[in-house]
Amino acid sequence: MLTIHPEKIYISSANVDMRKSIDGLSAIVEQNFKLNQFSNAMFVFHNRHCDKVKILYWDSDGFCLLYKRIEHGKFRFPRGISADKYTVTREELPWLLHGLKTEEIHKYNSLKNAR
């Protein structure tokens, strides 16, 4: 198991060609997002069908690229985002990577806090 503790996790709101590798994705981070690809951040990209994701991050001496294809269903990214990117928390990322909706986390937290 990898232990990564990024300061920020950015999700691309646009669909990305999954044929892109490290250089293509880091160019998107720098040119489209206007962010430093060498920062302590993870950058998550998804395809049009939302059944594949790639995660790019800088590991102090090189880039790492993680790829996941969900076999049944889709990844549930928030809809209606007008910006090129948005952030999620470290708690929300595993939910997204398992095909769950982040909105369900917030509903659970609000129910839990209502007690």
Side-chain angles (χ1 to χ4, degrees):
M1 180 74 185
L2 296 171
T3 51
I4 305 163
H5 302 287
E7 291 176 14
K8 292 267 189 174
I9 300 169
Y10 295 98
I11 309 261
S12 172
S13 59
N15 304 325
V16 173
D17 183 352
M18 285 291 116
R19 295 175 290 182
K20 289 191 182 296
S21 62
I22 291 171
D23 294 333
L25 296 174
S26 64
I28 291 172
V29 169
E30 185 177 18
Q31 295 169 5
N32 296 16
F33 298 170
K34 308 288 190 241
L35 294 171
N36 180 4
Q37 68 265 29
F38 302 108
S39 65
N40 184 16
M42 296 180 95
F43 304 97
V44 181
F45 303 91
H46 60 83
N47 67 339
R48 181 170 47 103
H49 300 291
C50 288
D51 62 347
K52 298 176 181 93
V53 295
K54 284 189 175 181
I55 300 175
L56 177 72
Y57 69 96
W58 175 254
D59 187 24
S60 74
D61 59 358
F63 282 105
C64 295
L65 184 63
L66 302 172
Y67 174 81
K68 182 171 182 178
R69 179 183 71 198
I70 197 164
E71 290 300 320
H72 301 287
K74 295 181 176 194
F75 295 107
R76 307 284 181 189
F77 294 100
R79 303 240 182 239
I81 305 292
S82 59
D84 290 340
K85 65 188 176 315
Y86 59 95
T87 60
V88 295
T89 65
R90 281 191 232 160
E91 294 80 22
E92 291 171 325
L93 183 62
W95 281 62
L96 286 173
L97 293 179
H98 286 290
L100 302 172
K101 295 180 181 180
T102 56
E103 293 85 6
E104 293 174 6
I105 297 172
H106 302 296
K107 287 180 185 176
Y108 173 75
N109 284 339
S110 65
L111 288 175
K112 190 169 95 173
N113 294 333
R115 290 184 191 182

